Each structure stands twice: as structure tokens, then as C-alpha cells.
Amino acid sequence: MNSQPSPVRRLLPVALALSPVLAVSSLLFAKNATVKFEKQRITDKFYAEGAAVGDFNKDGKPDIACGPFWYAGPDFTEAKEIYEPVAFDPKAYSKNFLSWGYDVSGDGWDDYVVGGFPGEESWWFENPAGKEGGWQRHVIIAVTDNESPDFADITGDGSPELICSRDGYFLYAQPDPADPRKPWIEHRISEQVAGGKFTHGLGIGDVDGDGRMDLLEKGNWWKQPESLDGDPVWQRYIFQFTGPGGSQMYAYDFDGDGDNDILTSLAAHGYGLAWFEQTDDGSGKKGWERHLIMGESPDDKPFGVSFSQTHSIDLVDIDGDGVKDIVTGKRFWAHGGGDPGGNDPAVLYWFRTVRGGGKSGEATFEPIEIDNDSGVGTQVLAADVTGDGKPDIVVGNKKGAFAHRQVAAE
């Protein structure tokens, strides 16, 4: 397993194209299906604000890593040490903000990639590949700014890069092809406009449909050029999606009209979740129309629920209907309970996306509670940890580490 398990992909779109009868029955099944989850608390210690999935013992079964330990699947009951364990005070902060499982060294064994505290190092731990000895730590870059760095393939070369900001520049970093154990090569893509280390909101996605990943952030989107040779500055399109900034951002066609919209939390430490419909004035000029999923106050509930501190988001097809859904929740005690709604229950939700027949601007979101005592961290991961082809939800935060397994409906 060379990367995070991919979100489940069903054959529903093909079936729709082949058979109108099958299309109707498939849609009815998807609409009426009930998705349920069972929670496993892997640890009650605060080691990290995220968790990773990878096959760390190369037995063909997904494992979970959170902070200094990895836990062998499918039970996730035995902790195996990656680095010296340090449990943090839940009213303070960890040094491990996000993490990913990926074979950085290229030896066939998944390593452990860690985005550290904002403004500090990010690093990766080399899997000992079944040999005696510990996991060797290698620095990726010395400074990782933004509270939602990403580890994804922004260049289209088939391998993920670390995407973040540093010294006010947005950038991506990729391993040195001569030696991945050396500090990674940094490629700036913007002018010096990225903000400081605690800036919120970052993501990638193909905004303009040219097949290349663009950069998304709270006040702009940056168009990837045709060639990355020479590290050109990407073209900047200014739009204030959110003032304070949210968390992970995504480009996805929520209304099914053929172009990608943008999803973002409106405030990582406040209220608000929205998608921005991509519009066109007829002359080819793009615009963005905001549609609220959760409003900017606790009483503003367009779809019946409201909670604060959506400090992490994932986007995945939870119910297998061919349309991606939103997974998010409340980050527990982001600032020790001092944020708006800071002491409310640490909920975890998925929002079922329902398209309005491909008409521009028409999409609704059905909120479904997964749990009310785990929440999210600065990362929430939808990944298949059971091997049944259905996405489960993995969380690491100040309440510990959790695996929410998707189970068959009764």
C-alpha cells in the first residue's frame, strides 16, 4: 500500500449510462440506504491532532498511526512505537498536527509523514521494514506554515507533495530524487502574500477544468501553469472565500452542472460551512456564489444543525451513490474551550450531498451524526480500514484516537 486508501469508488455512474431501469433502482437504493458506524477508541491519550492510515507491517491490512504509535489492523488494539511517546495536555497543543502513511523511501513499506506544529518542522519516519531497530526521523522542510497543510499530488506526477506556506509564500515540497532522506526540494508558487504560520485554510483541486490541480486558499485561488519548469508564479485569482480562514478546502461539482465548486469552512475557530457555486457571466469571467451549509451563528441552521470549530474536513462518497459527501465535526478544545461553542459536544457528522438534477446552484446537504463524543482534530480522514470497500472515519485529537467503522445497516 503506497498511499492512503483511496475513497471508495462505485460503478453507479456506469450503470446509469447503460440501463435506465437499473439507474432508477440504484438511485432508490442509495437514497434509502442507511449508513451506520461503530466507534472504537484506540487510545484516550492526546498525542496528535490527526491520524494516518497505511500498511505499516506489510501484511495487506490497513493499520492506523496516531502520534508516536501505530496500531496493527484489523483490531487496532496493540500499540507499536514509532518515536518516543509524549502525551500532551488537552488544553495545550501537540507537535503532530497532521499525518499520512506513504512509502517515501520507495522500498515497498509505508513510512509515516508528519506535519508538525505550525511554523516548525515537518518530517517523516522511515519504516524499518521488519528489521530490528527504530524508525529513523528525516526532516522534510524546516518550516511548515498554515494550519491545514496537505500531502497530495498537486503536480500530477503520480506522487504526493507537501503543500503549505513558508515565509509568506505558498509552496509545495517534493523529495530529492537523488536521496529522499535529504530535506525536500521547495517550489514557491506565489508572491509573498500567504500570511503567517497560523493562517487557516488550504487545499487543491481543478478549478478551471484543465486537468491540472490548482491551489485553493481563503482569499485566492491559484491557477497551475502548463509547465512547472523554472518554478513559475502561478496565476492569482482574488476572491475572499472567508476572512478568518477555515480548514481543508476542496474543488468539487456539488450541483452536478459540470464545473467544480469550492467547499470551505468559514472559520476554523467559529461557525460556518459553505460551498461556493462557480458561475459564469456569459463572457467567460468566473464568479462565486456562496451557499451556506451551516451559518455563521449557532442559530443559523440551513439544514437543521450547527456546530463550531470545523477545523478539518474530508470529502468522500460515504454511501456509494456516486456523489461525494462531506465529513467534518467539531474540533475539541482547539483553544482550551475558549472559542465560540468551545465546550459543546465534540460531534462528528457526515453531510450527504444531494444534487438537484444537474441544475446550477441546486444542491442540498443532509446532516447525519456519526458520534457526539470524539469530534475532529486539525485532520479527519475517511479511509477504508476494514477492507470492505466502504470508507470509515479515523480521528486523532485531544480526546484520543478513534476508528469509526462503517457497518451494515440493520
Side-chain angles (χ1 to χ4, degrees):
M1 184 181 298
N2 287 335
S3 63
Q4 303 282 25
S6 299
V8 61
R9 292 179 172 86
R10 303 285 183 160
L11 298 178
L12 181 57
V14 177
L16 296 181
L18 295 176
S19 170
V21 175
L22 181 58
V24 173
S25 62
S26 297
L27 286 171
L28 287 174
F29 173 79
K31 182 177 181 180
N32 295 325
T34 300
V35 174
K36 294 186 178 181
F37 291 88
E38 289 182 351
K39 180 173 74 172
Q40 177 186 357
R41 192 173 197 172
I42 298 172
T43 179
D44 61 358
K45 299 292 192 299
F46 172 37
Y47 291 122
E49 289 277 12
V53 172
D55 186 4
F56 299 115
N57 57 359
K58 207 176 179 182
D59 66 352
K61 300 180 179 66
D63 311 307
I64 293 174
C66 182
F69 296 107
W70 69 273
Y71 304 83
D75 298 326
F76 314 122
T77 55
E78 183 180 358
K80 301 176 185 294
E81 186 174 312
I82 299 173
Y83 58 86
E84 184 176 356
V86 176
F88 297 94
D89 180 351
K91 290 193 174 182
Y93 306 98
S94 78
K95 295 293 185 180
N96 184 320
F97 256 49
L98 305 95
S99 56
W100 303 271
Y102 181 72
D103 180 13
V104 177
S105 66
D107 65 355
W109 293 74
D110 278 348
D111 306 302
Y112 185 45
V113 179
V114 175
F117 189 81
E120 299 182 5
E121 291 178 341
S122 288
W123 58 90
W124 66 281
F125 288 92
E126 186 171 0
N127 194 323
K131 303 181 182 67
E132 293 295 326
W135 294 57
Q136 187 174 357
R137 183 182 186 272
H138 306 283
V139 173
I140 295 175
I141 57 176
V143 176
T144 309
D145 291 342
N146 196 291
E147 292 197 20
S148 301
D150 203 354
F151 186 62
D153 183 10
I154 194 172
T155 65
D157 66 354
S159 300
E161 295 84 27
L162 181 67
I163 304 150
C164 62
S165 59
R166 175 179 178 176
D167 301 326
Y169 297 93
F170 290 107
L171 63 87
Y172 64 90
Q174 55 190 166
D176 185 334
D179 185 357
R181 295 167 183 83
K182 293 181 179 180
W184 292 10
I185 301 169
E186 299 178 31
H187 304 268
R188 291 178 178 176
I189 68 173
S190 77
E191 297 100 349
Q192 198 173 11
V193 296
K197 60 185 178 181
F198 297 121
T199 303
H200 291 78
L202 195 64
I204 67 170
D206 183 4
V207 175
D208 55 357
D210 64 359
R212 295 186 291 272
M213 291 291 103
D214 306 305
L215 183 76
L216 317 171
E217 42 101 355
K218 66 177 183 175
N220 309 273
W221 70 273
W222 300 81
K223 176 181 170 63
Q224 181 173 162
E226 291 185 11
S227 173
L228 297 176
D229 293 344
D231 289 345
V233 171
W234 295 17
Q235 187 172 354
R236 179 187 184 186
Y237 292 89
I238 299 173
F239 186 84
Q240 198 70 50
F241 294 102
T242 164
S247 53
Q248 289 81 10
M249 299 176 68
Y250 298 89
Y252 182 67
D253 186 6
F254 286 99
D255 52 12
D257 67 350
D259 55 22
N260 278 339
D261 312 299
I262 291 180
L263 172 71
T264 182
S265 166
L266 297 179
H269 297 284
Y271 291 89
L273 179 67
W275 67 284
F276 288 79
E277 173 196 353
Q278 185 170 165
T279 61
D280 192 321
D281 65 2
S283 67
K285 183 178 180 180
K286 297 185 184 302
W288 302 97
E289 181 179 349
R290 189 177 81 162
H291 300 275
L292 290 175
I293 300 171
M294 294 191 295
E296 296 176 86
S297 73
D299 297 323
D300 191 357
K301 306 176 181 180
F303 296 101
V305 299
S306 175
F307 51 87
S308 66
Q309 298 180 290
T310 50
H311 211 304
S312 61
I313 301 172
D314 206 351
L315 189 66
V316 65
D317 181 6
I318 289 288
D319 56 358
D321 66 354
V323 179
K324 290 186 178 182
D325 309 297
I326 301 166
V327 178
T328 188
K330 175 184 166 51
R331 182 182 173 196
F332 178 64
W333 274 4
H335 291 146
D339 291 319
N343 290 304
D344 291 347
V347 295
L348 177 65
Y349 270 81
W350 71 281
F351 289 76
R352 183 172 179 267
T353 304
V354 182
R355 288 173 170 165
K359 295 181 180 179
S360 181
E362 293 192 11
T364 58
F365 299 87
E366 178 187 353
I368 303 167
E369 184 179 284
I370 298 172
D371 185 59
N372 65 4
D373 190 24
S374 57
V376 299
T378 52
Q379 181 183 29
V380 61
L381 176 64
D384 178 13
V385 300
T386 63
D388 64 358
K390 299 176 182 178
D392 310 295
I393 312 297
V394 178
V395 173
N397 65 7
K398 297 182 179 185
K399 283 184 173 285
F402 303 86
H404 299 271
R405 293 179 172 88
Q406 190 173 159
V407 296
E410 297 177 356

